[in-house]
Amino acid sequence: MSVSLEVSKREVRPRSLRNKLRHEGKIPAVVNGYQIESTPISLDNTVMEKVLRQHGLNTVLTMEIDGKKVNTLIHKYTTDTFTSKLTHIEFLSVNMNEVTEVEAEVVLVGEAAGVRAGGVLTQTLYAVTVAATPDKLPENVEVDVTDLEIGQSLSVADIKVTGDYEIVTDAEEQVVTIAEAQVEEETTTEAAEPEVIGEKEAE
């Protein structure tokens, strides 16, 4: 699936133009990659944020540049430190018939048996690299932890792939583990006996 995105070409000089665009609610961006020269563009911030909320980072975004349709993926982006708003995006033009690699979030599903028994679940891997044609790339990879008992763990090799993609992250990397809860021993400190101050000896 792809999502249409309206963009406009932009000038790159002077640099102050980028701040002007941001004040107008637009995001400075650039497109490069398959069958396109590096092209500076801008797009509406509100529209882009809505697309990301509804479709995620790994969705194919189709834009028209100089009368030509270009299929892209978000390659890199930056956000404002204080507002978290997008400040710049680098789009990568892709060949829809060529396998590409991106990161996909690891999402744990289910309540682990070991947690119900009092164990502590620890997730150690939050994203994996996946490979597929652009239209088959998953936004996230689900890992079912329902049957995981205390003392057990799951690695990348244990992930059940449910789509037309391949996980290329090292199969031995640990994803999640369940350990016994550590109970801190209560230490009781005996109250110190009050110091007895004797009467001053008579001279």
Side-chain angles (χ1 to χ4, degrees):
M1 186 187 78
S2 66
V3 177
S4 295
L5 192 63
E6 186 176 339
V7 302
S8 303
K9 292 181 70 173
R10 65 178 173 88
E11 299 294 329
V12 293
R13 294 286 186 274
R15 291 177 64 88
S16 59
L17 283 176
R18 283 190 284 185
N19 288 330
K20 183 174 182 294
L21 285 169
R22 293 183 183 114
H23 285 305
E24 294 173 350
K26 298 186 182 300
I27 308 170
V30 65
V31 184
N32 52 54
Y34 178 68
Q35 292 187 343
I36 189 172
E37 294 183 358
S38 183
T39 306
I41 60 171
S42 65
L43 60 151
D44 185 87
N45 198 337
T46 303
V47 171
M48 189 69 243
E49 290 182 348
K50 182 179 179 181
V51 168
L52 290 177
R53 282 196 306 272
Q54 294 181 344
H55 303 284
L57 284 170
N58 292 341
T59 298
V60 177
L61 303 171
T62 302
M63 55 187 71
E64 187 171 314
I65 301 175
D66 292 333
K68 176 184 176 181
K69 285 193 175 182
V70 181
N71 295 309
T72 70
L73 292 170
I74 294 177
H75 181 54
K76 296 178 182 177
Y77 65 92
T78 56
T79 58
D80 183 272
T81 305
F82 302 103
T83 66
S84 296
K85 285 189 173 294
L86 291 161
T87 56
H88 188 269
I89 302 176
E90 182 180 337
F91 293 96
L92 180 67
S93 174
V94 292
N95 180 347
M96 295 298 289
N97 298 314
E98 186 175 287
V99 171
T100 188
E101 294 184 3
V102 299
E103 280 199 342
E105 181 186 6
V106 173
V107 177
L108 305 184
V109 294
E111 183 182 5
V115 171
R116 294 196 298 272
V120 177
L121 181 149
T122 302
Q123 184 174 355
T124 53
L125 188 66
Y126 292 88
V128 291
T129 301
V130 296
T133 53
D135 59 326
K136 303 295 184 183
L137 291 170
E139 179 61 24
N140 55 58
V141 174
E142 293 187 347
V143 177
D144 189 348
V145 298
T146 306
D147 297 328
L148 203 59
E149 302 280 358
I150 293 175
Q152 294 182 331
S153 63
L154 294 175
S155 65
V156 171
D158 298 313
I159 299 176
K160 295 179 180 178
V161 176
T162 56
D164 296 326
Y165 63 88
E166 177 187 358
I167 299 176
V168 297
T169 299
D170 187 346
E172 294 184 2
E173 279 207 49
Q174 190 178 78
V175 177
V176 60
T177 185
I178 297 185
E180 290 186 7
Q182 293 184 349
V183 181
E184 294 185 4
E185 295 182 2
E186 293 185 3
T187 55
T188 55
T189 305
E190 294 183 1
E193 292 184 3
E195 181 181 357
V196 178
I197 302 176
E199 294 182 2
K200 185 177 179 181
E201 294 182 1
E203 293 180 355

mmCIF file of all heavy atoms in Angstrom, residues 9 22 24 76 92-93 162 183 190:
data_model
loop_
_atom_site.group_PDB
_atom_site.id
_atom_site.type_symbol
_atom_site.label_atom_id
_atom_site.label_comp_id
_atom_site.label_asym_id
_atom_site.label_seq_id
_atom_site.Cartn_x
_atom_site.Cartn_y
_atom_site.Cartn_z
ATOM 1 N N LYS A 9 8.569 21.723 -4.683
ATOM 2 C CA LYS A 9 10.003 21.966 -4.746
ATOM 3 C C LYS A 9 10.304 23.286 -4.040
ATOM 4 O O LYS A 9 9.468 24.188 -4.006
ATOM 5 C CB LYS A 9 10.475 22.005 -6.201
ATOM 6 C CG LYS A 9 10.390 20.659 -6.898
ATOM 7 C CD LYS A 9 10.884 20.721 -8.333
ATOM 8 C CE LYS A 9 12.387 20.933 -8.420
ATOM 9 N NZ LYS A 9 12.892 20.820 -9.812
ATOM 10 N N ARG A 22 9.235 26.657 8.175
ATOM 11 C CA ARG A 22 8.782 26.064 9.437
ATOM 12 C C ARG A 22 7.748 26.960 10.117
ATOM 13 O O ARG A 22 6.772 26.475 10.699
ATOM 14 C CB ARG A 22 9.978 25.796 10.347
ATOM 15 C CG ARG A 22 10.917 24.713 9.805
ATOM 16 C CD ARG A 22 12.059 24.412 10.753
ATOM 17 N NE ARG A 22 12.967 23.438 10.168
ATOM 18 C CZ ARG A 22 14.231 23.702 9.824
ATOM 19 N NH1 ARG A 22 14.730 24.921 10.011
ATOM 20 N NH2 ARG A 22 14.998 22.771 9.300
ATOM 21 N N GLU A 24 5.703 28.765 8.669
ATOM 22 C CA GLU A 24 4.480 28.654 7.869
ATOM 23 C C GLU A 24 3.821 27.278 8.017
ATOM 24 O O GLU A 24 2.844 26.970 7.335
ATOM 25 C CB GLU A 24 4.797 28.908 6.395
ATOM 26 C CG GLU A 24 5.250 30.345 6.103
ATOM 27 C CD GLU A 24 5.722 30.516 4.663
ATOM 28 O OE1 GLU A 24 5.877 29.486 3.964
ATOM 29 O OE2 GLU A 24 5.936 31.662 4.246
ATOM 30 N N LYS A 76 15.510 9.301 6.916
ATOM 31 C CA LYS A 76 15.963 9.949 8.149
ATOM 32 C C LYS A 76 15.056 11.133 8.435
ATOM 33 O O LYS A 76 14.463 11.708 7.520
ATOM 34 C CB LYS A 76 17.411 10.453 8.024
ATOM 35 C CG LYS A 76 18.459 9.375 7.833
ATOM 36 C CD LYS A 76 19.832 10.024 7.675
ATOM 37 C CE LYS A 76 20.915 8.986 7.426
ATOM 38 N NZ LYS A 76 22.235 9.615 7.198
ATOM 39 N N LEU A 92 13.791 8.613 0.705
ATOM 40 C CA LEU A 92 14.577 7.771 -0.193
ATOM 41 C C LEU A 92 13.666 7.227 -1.290
ATOM 42 O O LEU A 92 12.701 6.511 -1.015
ATOM 43 C CB LEU A 92 15.201 6.613 0.579
ATOM 44 C CG LEU A 92 16.057 5.639 -0.236
ATOM 45 C CD1 LEU A 92 17.317 6.332 -0.750
ATOM 46 C CD2 LEU A 92 16.430 4.424 0.613
ATOM 47 N N SER A 93 13.960 7.589 -2.541
ATOM 48 C CA SER A 93 13.209 7.047 -3.675
ATOM 49 C C SER A 93 13.573 5.574 -3.843
ATOM 50 O O SER A 93 14.747 5.207 -3.808
ATOM 51 C CB SER A 93 13.552 7.829 -4.945
ATOM 52 O OG SER A 93 12.947 7.248 -6.076
ATOM 53 N N THR A 162 4.855 -13.312 9.987
ATOM 54 C CA THR A 162 3.500 -13.502 9.475
ATOM 55 C C THR A 162 3.250 -12.755 8.160
ATOM 56 O O THR A 162 2.141 -12.792 7.634
ATOM 57 C CB THR A 162 2.462 -13.013 10.506
ATOM 58 O OG1 THR A 162 2.728 -11.637 10.826
ATOM 59 C CG2 THR A 162 2.545 -13.843 11.777
ATOM 60 N N VAL A 183 13.622 -10.857 45.847
ATOM 61 C CA VAL A 183 13.012 -10.370 47.083
ATOM 62 C C VAL A 183 14.109 -9.867 48.000
ATOM 63 O O VAL A 183 15.015 -10.620 48.359
ATOM 64 C CB VAL A 183 12.207 -11.486 47.782
ATOM 65 C CG1 VAL A 183 11.560 -10.946 49.053
ATOM 66 C CG2 VAL A 183 11.164 -12.047 46.838
ATOM 67 N N GLU A 190 18.963 -3.536 65.387
ATOM 68 C CA GLU A 190 18.607 -3.402 66.793
ATOM 69 C C GLU A 190 18.870 -1.981 67.251
ATOM 70 O O GLU A 190 19.889 -1.379 66.918
ATOM 71 C CB GLU A 190 19.425 -4.375 67.640
ATOM 72 C CG GLU A 190 19.104 -5.829 67.352
ATOM 73 C CD GLU A 190 19.896 -6.726 68.269
ATOM 74 O OE1 GLU A 190 20.643 -6.180 69.109
ATOM 75 O OE2 GLU A 190 19.778 -7.959 68.154
#
